[in-house]
Amino acid sequence: MDTYHPEIGTASLTIGFGAKPRLLFLYRWFALVMGLACTVAALPVAALSFGCYGAAMLLGKVRPLPNTYEFISAAYDRCIERLGQTVLRDQRDAPALRLMVSLTLTVVPVFAIQLVLGKPRLLLVIAFYLALYGLKFQRFVRMFSASHLEAHRRQGFFSDKYDKFFGRYLEFFLGYFYGNIPELGRTAHVCLHHRENAGFDDTRNTMGYDRTSRIDFLWYMADNVWTVLGVAPYAYFRAKGDEKNRRRMLRGMVGYYAYFGAVFIYDWRIGILFVLVPILCMNFINAITAWVQHAFCDPERPEDYFANTVTVVDEVNFMNEGFHLCHHHRSSLHWTEMPAHFERISDRMKVAGSLVFRDLDFFGLFLELTVLRRMDVLAEKLVPWEPMEHEERLALLVKRTQPQDAVI
């Protein structure tokens, strides 16, 4: 069996630069280009998403429009609820069904029309990105949460009657449009990330980086490409001698790469706008999420997932994604039961020094921690287990975000 020795970042882990400074130097330039490419791809999409959100807020002040939207949305929810009673394995997963139906009725037709027309049309590109990411990236957040939970369902969201056709519909069909390689959820996330719990052997671990450094995040985002492309998980399973999951990852990679190549062969312009940009955006957003979900490790117990897993409590918490520690502790627990489970394990969280933030989502945490570096704001939003002065909170946050060296 190969030995698996992670250093700093998944690039070292998968390519094994070791003591070859010239290769490491070349990789650093490659990392810089990849990080900038992901950023450049994501910024126009973000501008479109947040710009349309601002326009929607302005339109919301026109009295008839929000009332009409609420009426249509409520009617849509009732239809989804009735449909869910027939097709879902668990009726509580209606929010995931709503998302799947919405994406199927928007993303798929736009992509199909673009393929038929051939030459890229600006309005179709705009419609495609809005359908994928939604206003203020809300649809992507929902997609991320729903596909995350789907990965942990042995039989997916759908009942036995519909599972053969719609089984793992998010990961194995809709995920292609987002640049999400099949098996990154069911195999890499469940059998790698939850096995390692963001420890040093985890391909998504951030402990070798200063989580308050924008430059470090750039390196991490570039390294994360190997995970998003499936290369790092494949190398992990190969090194561990896990043939079942190695073959699964390989099948997922081959399937996505074939799709990627086929679209580019059909029309390279469509390939760039409808395939390359989404996978670069996927890496950008995925890196942000992985960066902050386990950002605050205890230097005395760096691999204790109770200490290094963050909980964020926000008004908008789709499918309770913010209860991330509860999910790591009981990954099979239904998302509706997470708040109650949070109360059950609160004593253990207190002993471990788990960090909980209020009035904050993961993207907000990333902005305050790494982009704006406003530890004062995070200190105010931190919910301590015992009374702490502001300076004590700041010291704790600084201590928990410093780079940690792996013990090889």
Side-chain angles (χ1 to χ4, degrees), residues 4-7 9-16 200-203 232 235-236:
Y4 187 75
H5 289 317
E7 298 168 63
T10 57
S12 306
L13 167 160
T14 54
I15 301 175
F200 290 114
D201 275 6
D202 196 334
T203 62
Y236 171 91

Side-chain angles (χ1 to χ4, degrees), residues 225-252:
V225 166
W226 303 112
T227 295
V228 168
L229 292 177
V231 176
Y234 177 87
Y236 171 91
F237 292 124
R238 184 176 182 274
K240 295 291 185 180
D242 188 340
E243 280 300 300
K244 176 183 175 181
N245 287 318
R246 183 193 67 82
R247 288 194 296 268
R248 274 184 169 184
M249 271 315 312
L250 182 61
R251 285 196 297 269

Side-chain angles (χ1 to χ4, degrees), residues 49-238:
S49 179
F50 281 86
C52 289
Y53 173 76
M57 292 298 99
L58 290 175
L59 290 173
K61 296 180 179 180
V62 181
R63 185 169 298 178
L65 293 180
N67 294 336
T68 302
Y69 171 78
E70 290 175 8
F71 174 79
I72 294 174
S73 182
Y76 184 39
D77 283 338
R78 288 193 295 270
C79 292
I80 292 296
E81 186 175 351
R82 286 196 293 269
L83 179 63
Q85 294 172 0
T86 303
V87 303
L88 289 177
R89 191 175 298 275
D90 190 323
Q91 307 304 313
R92 295 174 295 177
D93 294 323
L97 178 62
R98 189 188 204 275
L99 174 70
M100 287 184 273
V101 172
S102 298
L103 288 171
T104 303
L105 295 178
T106 54
V107 173
V108 178
V110 170
F111 185 73
I113 292 171
Q114 179 60 85
L115 289 180
V116 171
L117 293 178
K119 183 180 177 181
R121 304 298 202 274
L122 179 60
L123 289 179
L124 286 176
V125 173
I126 292 173
F128 182 73
Y129 291 155
L130 285 178
L132 274 183
Y133 303 106
L135 305 180
K136 203 179 175 182
F137 276 108
Q138 290 175 356
R139 184 168 279 189
F140 180 90
V141 170
R142 292 186 175 98
M143 169 65 178
F144 179 89
S145 299
S147 59
H148 175 201
L149 294 173
E150 180 191 60
H152 287 274
R153 306 289 180 84
R154 184 169 295 180
Q155 296 174 304
F157 286 124
F158 291 94
S159 61
D160 292 336
K161 183 178 179 180
Y162 299 93
D163 182 63
K164 288 185 179 180
F165 187 74
F166 291 107
R168 302 195 177 277
Y169 187 67
L170 285 164
E171 181 175 354
F172 288 93
F173 179 63
L174 294 175
Y176 275 86
F177 300 105
Y178 282 93
N180 190 56
I181 292 179
E183 301 297 350
L184 279 181
R186 180 178 69 169
T187 300
H189 177 76
V190 175
C191 301
L192 193 168
H193 179 61
H194 276 265
R195 178 187 295 173
E196 302 296 346
N197 284 310
F200 290 114
D201 275 6
D202 196 334
T203 62
R204 292 190 184 278
N205 105 76
T206 61
M207 289 186 288
Y209 301 86
D210 177 359
R211 274 83 72 194
T212 66
S213 168
R214 292 183 286 268
I215 295 297
D216 274 28
F217 174 72
L218 189 67
W219 298 136
Y220 176 76
M221 180 168 56
D223 283 345
N224 193 63
V225 166
W226 303 112
T227 295
V228 168
L229 292 177
V231 176
Y234 177 87
Y236 171 91
F237 292 124
R238 184 176 182 274

